[in-house]
Amino acid sequence: MEFQQLKLFLAVADALHFGRAAQQVGMAQPHLSRAIARLEQEVGVRLFDRTSRRVVLTAAGERLREEAIALLQAERRAQEAARAAGQQRRRRLRIAYVSAALYRALPAALRSLSASTEPVEFALHEATTNEQLALIAAGEIDLGIGHPPFDTHARLASVLLANDRFDAVLPADHRLATRTTIRIEELAAEPLVLFPEAQGPALYAAIRDRCRVAGRVMQLAATAPRLHGQLSLVAAGLGIGIAPRQSRSLAVAGTVRVPIKPYPAALVLPLAAMYDPRSRHPALPPALAALRRAVTRRAGGTGDGNRAAAAR
């Protein structure tokens, strides 16, 4: 059994259609059908049930699909390990991140790694936490920076970097905009501008719960996936928003930030580094260390960002 056979098998297993799979791999359908037949002969079992109308995986095919994915991922990691070993002077690290990582942790870490004696090249792109988990599982990124909670397991490890708190963000002409602090009960009585629930279901639920504890049903005025968009909608007078303290450098005209006091302990924005603990990428340990230093320096050694933010 060869890796190419497994790749052809996975193409059919994903498409469940020999014609579409043949187009995807650039092969004539009869050649693909014969390749799958040879693979079935080698393993000694049928991998697909074929009828004139559909193609489905057998139980043996389902199991082989799981193992084939793991084997091809291992092949990719082996290739990358060999490539990295030959490129110690210039190492490429694939990083995905949520937008909150840009407030503090990621820029400082990138600057530190770029200035090191063994500089690192970066492949960067923004992705949700769930997208990053899938990318790590597929071996397509080396490091993710996202928001817990998520389940760790043998192929996923994480390091908590920060637990940020929020400010209330009000339209500049709002009746509460001149206050030095605002209570969560007062926020709960106002229409809110938030992120989409699917983007951060745990945090969204925490906000909804705080409204319920305050005796209110959460009023959702509008949503936007990025903080700048949320602040712009607040400036337009659609409602009140919340913004991480680490984002205080991000200002939108027509908005005012007001600290929330007393602060509800359940309302935090955790940020964590995520990676495959089996990875042997030479730049991964220094990258994790740089991220820890970035949040620790700014937080006065606490790592949660709260004291540093409160002092500003």
Side-chain angles (χ1 to χ4, degrees):
M1 187 184 302
E2 299 177 352
F3 285 118
Q4 182 60 24
Q5 289 177 291
L6 294 178
K7 291 175 182 177
L8 296 177
F9 164 72
L10 286 178
V12 180
D14 290 339
L16 293 179
H17 190 283
F18 276 78
R20 286 195 295 270
Q23 289 179 344
Q24 291 171 7
V25 300
M27 176 183 287
Q29 182 177 335
H31 293 294
L32 178 60
S33 296
R34 285 195 292 271
I36 296 300
R38 285 195 297 270
L39 178 61
E40 288 179 321
Q41 289 175 358
E42 285 187 28
V43 297
V45 292
R46 281 189 304 108
L47 301 174
F48 297 95
D49 281 329
R50 309 165 178 82
T51 69
S52 58
R53 294 189 174 184
R54 64 176 190 157
V55 175
V56 296
L57 283 163
T58 63
E62 291 281 5
R63 182 60 186 272
L64 180 61
R65 181 178 182 275
E66 296 175 3
E67 296 296 330
I69 290 172
L71 284 169
L72 291 174
Q73 289 176 356
E75 179 199 28
R76 188 184 303 117
R77 285 196 302 273
Q79 292 174 345
E80 291 172 354
R83 194 176 298 119
Q87 297 176 348
Q88 290 295 317
R89 292 291 299 170
R90 203 71 181 168
R91 299 165 296 176
R92 187 169 182 266
L93 191 67
R94 301 166 301 170
I95 304 175
Y97 56 88
V98 293
S99 58
L102 296 174
Y103 303 144
R104 174 193 303 173
L106 185 57
L110 295 179
R111 180 178 291 274
S112 173
L113 292 168
S114 296
S116 67
T117 56
E118 294 185 351
V120 179
E121 291 182 346
F122 308 107
L124 303 165
H125 73 276
E126 189 172 347
T128 66
T129 299
N130 285 337
E131 288 170 344
Q132 292 180 45
L133 294 173
L135 290 170
I136 291 172
E140 295 180 13
I141 61 172
D142 306 299
L143 176 63
I145 307 174
H147 297 304
F150 44 76
D151 293 330
T152 58
H153 45 77
R155 298 183 180 183
L156 179 69
S158 69
V159 176
L160 182 65
L161 300 173
N163 272 319
D164 200 9
R165 293 186 175 188
F166 292 91
D167 293 321
V169 184
L170 293 76
D173 58 356
H174 193 279
R175 59 184 175 81
L176 299 175
T178 58
R179 298 274 293 277
T180 57
T181 63
I182 188 170
R183 292 181 294 110
I184 196 71
E185 292 80 8
E186 294 172 306
L187 279 181
E190 300 287 332
L192 298 178
V193 176
L194 298 174
F195 49 88
E197 182 176 7
Q199 186 173 312
L203 179 57
Y204 194 97
I207 297 169
R208 186 167 49 210
D209 288 345
R210 296 317 305 173
C211 291
R212 185 167 58 247
V213 169
R216 301 279 185 172
V217 175
M218 187 176 78
Q219 305 174 61
L220 185 64
T223 63
R226 298 292 175 264
L227 181 58
H228 189 275
Q230 296 165 34
L231 299 184
S232 297
L233 295 178
V234 171
L238 297 187
I240 290 178
I242 60 173
R245 291 181 177 179
Q246 292 182 14
S247 70
R248 284 177 172 174
S249 61
L250 177 61
V252 172
T255 64
V256 174
R257 288 188 182 234
V258 180
I260 301 170
K261 289 187 179 180
Y263 197 86
L267 197 59
V268 294
L269 183 64
L271 188 69
M274 308 174 291
Y275 59 97
D276 186 335
R278 300 169 301 166
S279 172
R280 295 297 180 265
H281 196 299
L284 183 57
L288 292 170
L291 286 168
R292 291 192 193 97
R293 287 195 303 270
V295 296
T296 300
R297 279 196 195 116
R298 291 289 298 274
T302 66
D304 65 5
N306 295 337
R307 279 191 285 166
R312 289 198 294 271

Tab-separated table of all heavy atoms in Angstrom, residues 17-67:
chain	number	residue	atom	x	y	z
A	17	HIS	N	-18.292	9.748	-5.019
A	17	HIS	CA	-18.680	9.757	-6.432
A	17	HIS	C	-17.402	9.596	-7.250
A	17	HIS	O	-16.493	10.432	-7.161
A	17	HIS	CB	-19.380	11.079	-6.769
A	17	HIS	CG	-20.025	11.088	-8.119
A	17	HIS	ND1	-19.312	11.230	-9.286
A	17	HIS	CD2	-21.341	10.985	-8.483
A	17	HIS	CE1	-20.144	11.220	-10.311
A	17	HIS	NE2	-21.379	11.058	-9.856
A	18	PHE	N	-17.308	8.513	-8.032
A	18	PHE	CA	-16.065	8.241	-8.744
A	18	PHE	C	-15.773	9.297	-9.806
A	18	PHE	O	-14.616	9.666	-10.022
A	18	PHE	CB	-16.127	6.841	-9.366
A	18	PHE	CG	-15.756	5.744	-8.415
A	18	PHE	CD1	-16.666	5.293	-7.462
A	18	PHE	CD2	-14.495	5.174	-8.463
A	18	PHE	CE1	-16.317	4.295	-6.568
A	18	PHE	CE2	-14.127	4.161	-7.577
A	18	PHE	CZ	-15.048	3.727	-6.616
A	19	GLY	N	-16.823	9.796	-10.461
A	19	GLY	CA	-16.608	10.799	-11.500
A	19	GLY	C	-16.050	12.087	-10.939
A	19	GLY	O	-15.073	12.650	-11.454
A	20	ARG	N	-16.678	12.586	-9.859
A	20	ARG	CA	-16.194	13.842	-9.254
A	20	ARG	C	-14.798	13.660	-8.671
A	20	ARG	O	-13.945	14.543	-8.769
A	20	ARG	CB	-17.169	14.323	-8.187
A	20	ARG	CG	-18.452	14.913	-8.756
A	20	ARG	CD	-19.202	15.697	-7.699
A	20	ARG	NE	-19.679	14.843	-6.622
A	20	ARG	CZ	-20.868	14.248	-6.612
A	20	ARG	NH1	-21.681	14.393	-7.652
A	20	ARG	NH2	-21.257	13.499	-5.594
A	21	ALA	N	-14.563	12.508	-8.036
A	21	ALA	CA	-13.245	12.250	-7.460
A	21	ALA	C	-12.178	12.206	-8.545
A	21	ALA	O	-11.068	12.722	-8.370
A	21	ALA	CB	-13.263	10.949	-6.665
A	22	ALA	N	-12.501	11.598	-9.690
A	22	ALA	CA	-11.537	11.521	-10.791
A	22	ALA	C	-11.179	12.916	-11.293
A	22	ALA	O	-10.014	13.207	-11.584
A	22	ALA	CB	-12.111	10.670	-11.929
A	23	GLN	N	-12.184	13.799	-11.389
A	23	GLN	CA	-11.915	15.174	-11.803
A	23	GLN	C	-11.005	15.878	-10.805
A	23	GLN	O	-10.082	16.620	-11.182
A	23	GLN	CB	-13.225	15.948	-11.948
A	23	GLN	CG	-14.064	15.519	-13.141
A	23	GLN	CD	-15.365	16.298	-13.229
A	23	GLN	OE1	-15.788	16.947	-12.270
A	23	GLN	NE2	-16.017	16.238	-14.372
A	24	GLN	N	-11.240	15.659	-9.517
A	24	GLN	CA	-10.448	16.329	-8.485
A	24	GLN	C	-8.979	15.914	-8.524
A	24	GLN	O	-8.088	16.729	-8.303
A	24	GLN	CB	-11.028	16.033	-7.101
A	24	GLN	CG	-12.376	16.685	-6.850
A	24	GLN	CD	-13.026	16.201	-5.567
A	24	GLN	OE1	-12.418	15.462	-4.780
A	24	GLN	NE2	-14.269	16.600	-5.339
A	25	VAL	N	-8.713	14.637	-8.824
A	25	VAL	CA	-7.324	14.154	-8.821
A	25	VAL	C	-6.697	14.194	-10.211
A	25	VAL	O	-5.528	13.832	-10.370
A	25	VAL	CB	-7.234	12.723	-8.242
A	25	VAL	CG1	-7.748	12.688	-6.821
A	25	VAL	CG2	-8.000	11.725	-9.115
A	26	GLY	N	-7.473	14.644	-11.208
A	26	GLY	CA	-6.930	14.737	-12.566
A	26	GLY	C	-6.653	13.402	-13.206
A	26	GLY	O	-5.625	13.217	-13.854
A	27	MET	N	-7.580	12.469	-13.043
A	27	MET	CA	-7.386	11.102	-13.559
A	27	MET	C	-8.669	10.664	-14.262
A	27	MET	O	-9.770	11.062	-13.879
A	27	MET	CB	-7.070	10.168	-12.375
A	27	MET	CG	-6.938	8.708	-12.745
A	27	MET	SD	-6.657	7.675	-11.272
A	27	MET	CE	-4.956	8.097	-10.885
A	28	ALA	N	-8.513	9.877	-15.280
A	28	ALA	CA	-9.686	9.318	-15.944
A	28	ALA	C	-10.418	8.382	-14.983
A	28	ALA	O	-9.788	7.657	-14.197
A	28	ALA	CB	-9.274	8.556	-17.206
A	29	GLN	N	-11.756	8.396	-15.041
A	29	GLN	CA	-12.532	7.608	-14.089
A	29	GLN	C	-12.217	6.112	-14.142
A	29	GLN	O	-12.091	5.470	-13.090
A	29	GLN	CB	-14.028	7.837	-14.300
A	29	GLN	CG	-14.891	7.072	-13.309
A	29	GLN	CD	-16.373	7.365	-13.468
A	29	GLN	OE1	-16.749	8.417	-13.954
A	29	GLN	NE2	-17.207	6.427	-13.057
A	30	PRO	N	-12.054	5.507	-15.327
A	30	PRO	CA	-11.725	4.065	-15.335
A	30	PRO	C	-10.417	3.763	-14.612
A	30	PRO	O	-10.302	2.747	-13.919
A	30	PRO	CB	-11.635	3.740	-16.833
A	30	PRO	CG	-12.489	4.777	-17.498
A	30	PRO	CD	-12.303	6.028	-16.686
A	31	HIS	N	-9.412	4.635	-14.761
A	31	HIS	CA	-8.129	4.423	-14.076
A	31	HIS	C	-8.311	4.501	-12.558
A	31	HIS	O	-7.720	3.703	-11.816
A	31	HIS	CB	-7.105	5.452	-14.537
A	31	HIS	CG	-6.691	5.302	-15.964
A	31	HIS	ND1	-5.983	4.220	-16.432
A	31	HIS	CD2	-6.910	6.089	-17.049
A	31	HIS	CE1	-5.762	4.347	-17.732
A	31	HIS	NE2	-6.332	5.484	-18.136
A	32	LEU	N	-9.151	5.472	-12.115
A	32	LEU	CA	-9.397	5.601	-10.683
A	32	LEU	C	-10.137	4.376	-10.147
A	32	LEU	O	-9.806	3.846	-9.077
A	32	LEU	CB	-10.200	6.869	-10.402
A	32	LEU	CG	-10.579	7.114	-8.937
A	32	LEU	CD1	-9.321	7.236	-8.061
A	32	LEU	CD2	-11.430	8.388	-8.803
A	33	SER	N	-11.124	3.901	-10.907
A	33	SER	CA	-11.873	2.717	-10.473
A	33	SER	C	-10.955	1.500	-10.344
A	33	SER	O	-11.056	0.732	-9.382
A	33	SER	CB	-13.002	2.422	-11.465
A	33	SER	OG	-13.938	3.484	-11.487
A	34	ARG	N	-10.023	1.346	-11.307
A	34	ARG	CA	-9.098	0.220	-11.236
A	34	ARG	C	-8.136	0.368	-10.049
A	34	ARG	O	-7.790	-0.626	-9.397
A	34	ARG	CB	-8.316	0.103	-12.555
A	34	ARG	CG	-9.140	-0.479	-13.700
A	34	ARG	CD	-8.255	-0.913	-14.852
A	34	ARG	NE	-7.622	0.225	-15.512
A	34	ARG	CZ	-8.181	0.900	-16.527
A	34	ARG	NH1	-9.386	0.564	-16.971
A	34	ARG	NH2	-7.540	1.899	-17.086
A	35	ALA	N	-7.721	1.605	-9.748
A	35	ALA	CA	-6.824	1.831	-8.608
A	35	ALA	C	-7.512	1.459	-7.299
A	35	ALA	O	-6.903	0.843	-6.411
A	35	ALA	CB	-6.374	3.295	-8.571
A	36	ILE	N	-8.784	1.798	-7.174
A	36	ILE	CA	-9.523	1.453	-5.955
A	36	ILE	C	-9.733	-0.056	-5.873
A	36	ILE	O	-9.631	-0.662	-4.797
A	36	ILE	CB	-10.873	2.196	-5.913
A	36	ILE	CG1	-10.649	3.713	-5.835
A	36	ILE	CG2	-11.716	1.731	-4.729
A	36	ILE	CD1	-9.870	4.181	-4.629
A	37	ALA	N	-10.003	-0.675	-7.016
A	37	ALA	CA	-10.181	-2.138	-7.031
A	37	ALA	C	-8.884	-2.830	-6.591
A	37	ALA	O	-8.918	-3.813	-5.832
A	37	ALA	CB	-10.605	-2.596	-8.424
A	38	ARG	N	-7.736	-2.335	-7.069
A	38	ARG	CA	-6.455	-2.934	-6.647
A	38	ARG	C	-6.226	-2.760	-5.154
A	38	ARG	O	-5.740	-3.678	-4.481
A	38	ARG	CB	-5.308	-2.300	-7.434
A	38	ARG	CG	-5.198	-2.783	-8.878
A	38	ARG	CD	-3.859	-2.401	-9.486
A	38	ARG	NE	-3.698	-0.952	-9.564
A	38	ARG	CZ	-4.071	-0.213	-10.595
A	38	ARG	NH1	-4.656	-0.789	-11.654
A	38	ARG	NH2	-3.882	1.082	-10.605
A	39	LEU	N	-6.607	-1.599	-4.628
A	39	LEU	CA	-6.455	-1.370	-3.191
A	39	LEU	C	-7.339	-2.325	-2.397
A	39	LEU	O	-6.907	-2.892	-1.379
A	39	LEU	CB	-6.808	0.084	-2.849
A	39	LEU	CG	-6.736	0.478	-1.377
A	39	LEU	CD1	-5.322	0.294	-0.829
A	39	LEU	CD2	-7.186	1.934	-1.182
A	40	GLU	N	-8.561	-2.552	-2.864
A	40	GLU	CA	-9.458	-3.481	-2.181
A	40	GLU	C	-8.887	-4.901	-2.217
A	40	GLU	O	-9.008	-5.650	-1.241
A	40	GLU	CB	-10.845	-3.422	-2.815
A	40	GLU	CG	-11.597	-2.132	-2.504
A	40	GLU	CD	-12.962	-2.070	-3.165
A	40	GLU	OE1	-13.079	-2.516	-4.332
A	40	GLU	OE2	-13.901	-1.565	-2.525
A	41	GLN	N	-8.249	-5.248	-3.326
A	41	GLN	CA	-7.618	-6.574	-3.405
A	41	GLN	C	-6.463	-6.686	-2.407
A	41	GLN	O	-6.281	-7.716	-1.764
A	41	GLN	CB	-7.109	-6.811	-4.822
A	41	GLN	CG	-8.217	-7.038	-5.848
A	41	GLN	CD	-7.672	-7.157	-7.261
A	41	GLN	OE1	-6.466	-7.042	-7.492
A	41	GLN	NE2	-8.566	-7.391	-8.215
A	42	GLU	N	-5.700	-5.612	-2.261
A	42	GLU	CA	-4.557	-5.635	-1.351
A	42	GLU	C	-5.000	-5.783	0.103
A	42	GLU	O	-4.398	-6.546	0.862
A	42	GLU	CB	-3.734	-4.349	-1.497
A	42	GLU	CG	-2.892	-4.312	-2.757
A	42	GLU	CD	-1.966	-3.106	-2.761
A	42	GLU	OE1	-1.588	-2.646	-1.655
A	42	GLU	OE2	-1.635	-2.627	-3.846
A	43	VAL	N	-6.044	-5.051	0.488
A	43	VAL	CA	-6.478	-5.115	1.892
A	43	VAL	C	-7.405	-6.296	2.134
A	43	VAL	O	-7.650	-6.676	3.287
A	43	VAL	CB	-7.157	-3.786	2.323
A	43	VAL	CG1	-6.185	-2.642	2.242
A	43	VAL	CG2	-8.402	-3.496	1.495
A	44	GLY	N	-7.964	-6.872	1.072
A	44	GLY	CA	-8.776	-8.073	1.211
A	44	GLY	C	-10.210	-7.851	1.609
A	44	GLY	O	-10.891	-8.805	1.995
A	45	VAL	N	-10.687	-6.616	1.529
A	45	VAL	CA	-12.089	-6.332	1.860
A	45	VAL	C	-12.617	-5.264	0.909
A	45	VAL	O	-11.853	-4.508	0.314
A	45	VAL	CB	-12.254	-5.821	3.321
A	45	VAL	CG1	-11.937	-6.911	4.321
A	45	VAL	CG2	-11.406	-4.586	3.573
A	46	ARG	N	-13.950	-5.214	0.783
A	46	ARG	CA	-14.565	-4.128	0.017
A	46	ARG	C	-14.533	-2.853	0.846
A	46	ARG	O	-14.847	-2.856	2.027
A	46	ARG	CB	-16.019	-4.477	-0.332
A	46	ARG	CG	-16.153	-5.425	-1.514
A	46	ARG	CD	-17.590	-5.588	-1.978
A	46	ARG	NE	-18.469	-6.034	-0.888
A	46	ARG	CZ	-19.372	-5.275	-0.293
A	46	ARG	NH1	-19.527	-4.002	-0.650
A	46	ARG	NH2	-20.130	-5.767	0.678
A	47	LEU	N	-14.171	-1.761	0.220
A	47	LEU	CA	-14.101	-0.464	0.896
A	47	LEU	C	-15.311	0.408	0.578
A	47	LEU	O	-15.642	1.317	1.340
A	47	LEU	CB	-12.816	0.270	0.493
A	47	LEU	CG	-11.521	-0.479	0.806
A	47	LEU	CD1	-10.330	0.270	0.243
A	47	LEU	CD2	-11.369	-0.673	2.315
A	48	PHE	N	-15.963	0.132	-0.567
A	48	PHE	CA	-17.135	0.894	-0.978
A	48	PHE	C	-18.245	-0.061	-1.407
A	48	PHE	O	-17.973	-1.101	-2.003
A	48	PHE	CB	-16.818	1.821	-2.160
A	48	PHE	CG	-15.795	2.878	-1.870
A	48	PHE	CD1	-14.462	2.676	-2.169
A	48	PHE	CD2	-16.172	4.084	-1.298
A	48	PHE	CE1	-13.518	3.646	-1.902
A	48	PHE	CE2	-15.247	5.053	-1.032
A	48	PHE	CZ	-13.908	4.845	-1.326
A	49	ASP	N	-19.460	0.306	-1.103
A	49	ASP	CA	-20.631	-0.346	-1.689
A	49	ASP	C	-21.075	0.530	-2.845
A	49	ASP	O	-21.375	1.718	-2.668
A	49	ASP	CB	-21.757	-0.483	-0.661
A	49	ASP	CG	-21.518	-1.662	0.275
A	49	ASP	OD1	-20.913	-2.658	-0.159
A	49	ASP	OD2	-21.935	-1.559	1.446
A	50	ARG	N	-21.119	-0.029	-4.038
A	50	ARG	CA	-21.444	0.739	-5.236
A	50	ARG	C	-22.772	0.253	-5.800
A	50	ARG	O	-23.014	-0.940	-5.922
A	50	ARG	CB	-20.359	0.570	-6.298
A	50	ARG	CG	-18.933	0.817	-5.810
A	50	ARG	CD	-17.944	0.264	-6.840
A	50	ARG	NE	-16.558	0.476	-6.537
A	50	ARG	CZ	-15.835	-0.278	-5.727
A	50	ARG	NH1	-16.408	-1.292	-5.087
A	50	ARG	NH2	-14.559	-0.021	-5.526
A	51	THR	N	-23.621	1.212	-6.139
A	51	THR	CA	-24.839	0.920	-6.886
A	51	THR	C	-24.870	1.891	-8.060
A	51	THR	O	-23.995	2.744	-8.211
A	51	THR	CB	-26.099	1.110	-6.015
A	51	THR	OG1	-26.269	2.508	-5.726
A	51	THR	CG2	-25.990	0.338	-4.709
A	52	SER	N	-25.890	1.773	-8.879
A	52	SER	CA	-25.995	2.682	-10.026
A	52	SER	C	-26.311	4.107	-9.582
A	52	SER	O	-26.119	5.051	-10.335
A	52	SER	CB	-27.087	2.200	-10.982
A	52	SER	OG	-28.338	2.118	-10.298
A	53	ARG	N	-26.787	4.247	-8.355
A	53	ARG	CA	-27.202	5.577	-7.887
A	53	ARG	C	-26.276	6.200	-6.860
A	53	ARG	O	-26.248	7.409	-6.707
A	53	ARG	CB	-28.613	5.505	-7.289
A	53	ARG	CG	-29.671	5.175	-8.308
A	53	ARG	CD	-31.045	5.332	-7.697
A	53	ARG	NE	-32.092	5.149	-8.680
A	53	ARG	CZ	-33.391	5.310	-8.425
A	53	ARG	NH1	-33.785	5.629	-7.198
A	53	ARG	NH2	-34.278	5.137	-9.372
A	54	ARG	N	-25.522	5.399	-6.125
A	54	ARG	CA	-24.710	5.998	-5.072
A	54	ARG	C	-23.512	5.125	-4.730
A	54	ARG	O	-23.444	3.950	-5.078
A	54	ARG	CB	-25.545	6.251	-3.807
A	54	ARG	CG	-26.068	4.988	-3.148
A	54	ARG	CD	-26.792	5.315	-1.853
A	54	ARG	NE	-27.095	4.109	-1.102
A	54	ARG	CZ	-27.315	4.077	0.198
A	54	ARG	NH1	-27.245	5.185	0.896
A	54	ARG	NH2	-27.588	2.949	0.811
A	55	VAL	N	-22.565	5.784	-4.045
A	55	VAL	CA	-21.376	5.112	-3.531
A	55	VAL	C	-21.309	5.407	-2.040
A	55	VAL	O	-21.408	6.569	-1.630
A	55	VAL	CB	-20.095	5.627	-4.224
A	55	VAL	CG1	-18.852	5.008	-3.598
A	55	VAL	CG2	-20.147	5.344	-5.717
A	56	VAL	N	-21.168	4.373	-1.216
A	56	VAL	CA	-21.061	4.575	0.232
A	56	VAL	C	-19.894	3.762	0.766
A	56	VAL	O	-19.521	2.723	0.200
A	56	VAL	CB	-22.358	4.184	0.979
A	56	VAL	CG1	-23.507	5.079	0.574
A	56	VAL	CG2	-22.692	2.719	0.734
A	57	LEU	N	-19.302	4.255	1.845
A	57	LEU	CA	-18.208	3.539	2.495
A	57	LEU	C	-18.744	2.353	3.281
A	57	LEU	O	-19.782	2.462	3.948
A	57	LEU	CB	-17.456	4.474	3.447
A	57	LEU	CG	-16.490	5.473	2.815
A	57	LEU	CD1	-16.154	6.570	3.822
A	57	LEU	CD2	-15.230	4.773	2.343
A	58	THR	N	-18.053	1.249	3.205
A	58	THR	CA	-18.361	0.135	4.096
A	58	THR	C	-17.756	0.424	5.472
A	58	THR	O	-17.035	1.414	5.661
A	58	THR	CB	-17.756	-1.171	3.549
A	58	THR	OG1	-16.331	-1.023	3.533
A	58	THR	CG2	-18.269	-1.473	2.156
A	59	ALA	N	-18.030	-0.439	6.446
A	59	ALA	CA	-17.428	-0.270	7.770
A	59	ALA	C	-15.905	-0.321	7.674
A	59	ALA	O	-15.190	0.462	8.326
A	59	ALA	CB	-17.936	-1.360	8.722
A	60	ALA	N	-15.387	-1.225	6.834
A	60	ALA	CA	-13.938	-1.298	6.632
A	60	ALA	C	-13.417	-0.022	5.978
A	60	ALA	O	-12.333	0.470	6.311
A	60	ALA	CB	-13.595	-2.508	5.767
A	61	GLY	N	-14.195	0.520	5.050
A	61	GLY	CA	-13.791	1.758	4.395
A	61	GLY	C	-13.749	2.932	5.366
A	61	GLY	O	-12.856	3.781	5.297
A	62	GLU	N	-14.742	2.998	6.275
A	62	GLU	CA	-14.752	4.059	7.292
A	62	GLU	C	-13.501	3.993	8.151
A	62	GLU	O	-12.872	5.010	8.444
A	62	GLU	CB	-16.004	3.941	8.168
A	62	GLU	CG	-17.310	4.261	7.476
A	62	GLU	CD	-17.550	5.764	7.355
A	62	GLU	OE1	-16.658	6.542	7.734
A	62	GLU	OE2	-18.626	6.136	6.869
A	63	ARG	N	-13.137	2.755	8.554
A	63	ARG	CA	-11.952	2.613	9.400
A	63	ARG	C	-10.683	2.973	8.639
A	63	ARG	O	-9.785	3.645	9.174
A	63	ARG	CB	-11.870	1.182	9.927
A	63	ARG	CG	-10.680	0.936	10.861
A	63	ARG	CD	-10.759	1.858	12.077
A	63	ARG	NE	-9.581	1.748	12.898
A	63	ARG	CZ	-9.436	0.857	13.881
A	63	ARG	NH1	-10.425	0.002	14.134
A	63	ARG	NH2	-8.333	0.838	14.609
A	64	LEU	N	-10.605	2.537	7.384
A	64	LEU	CA	-9.424	2.869	6.595
A	64	LEU	C	-9.327	4.376	6.363
A	64	LEU	O	-8.223	4.934	6.360
A	64	LEU	CB	-9.455	2.144	5.247
A	64	LEU	CG	-8.241	2.418	4.332
A	64	LEU	CD1	-6.950	1.972	5.010
A	64	LEU	CD2	-8.411	1.730	2.981
A	65	ARG	N	-10.466	5.022	6.204
A	65	ARG	CA	-10.447	6.478	6.014
A	65	ARG	C	-9.798	7.170	7.216
A	65	ARG	O	-8.965	8.070	7.056
A	65	ARG	CB	-11.870	7.003	5.802
A	65	ARG	CG	-11.942	8.510	5.577
A	65	ARG	CD	-13.382	8.951	5.323
A	65	ARG	NE	-13.442	10.384	5.058
A	65	ARG	CZ	-13.505	11.308	6.008
A	65	ARG	NH1	-13.546	10.947	7.298
A	65	ARG	NH2	-13.547	12.589	5.696
A	66	GLU	N	-10.179	6.774	8.430
A	66	GLU	CA	-9.585	7.360	9.639
A	66	GLU	C	-8.073	7.150	9.670
A	66	GLU	O	-7.307	8.084	9.947
A	66	GLU	CB	-10.224	6.753	10.885
A	66	GLU	CG	-11.705	7.042	11.037
A	66	GLU	CD	-12.321	6.312	12.231
A	66	GLU	OE1	-11.568	5.632	12.955
A	66	GLU	OE2	-13.534	6.410	12.410
A	67	GLU	N	-7.661	5.914	9.376
A	67	GLU	CA	-6.227	5.608	9.427
A	67	GLU	C	-5.467	6.304	8.301
A	67	GLU	O	-4.323	6.741	8.495
A	67	GLU	CB	-6.022	4.095	9.339
A	67	GLU	CG	-6.595	3.303	10.506
A	67	GLU	CD	-5.914	3.644	11.825
A	67	GLU	OE1	-4.721	4.001	11.803
A	67	GLU	OE2	-6.579	3.581	12.873
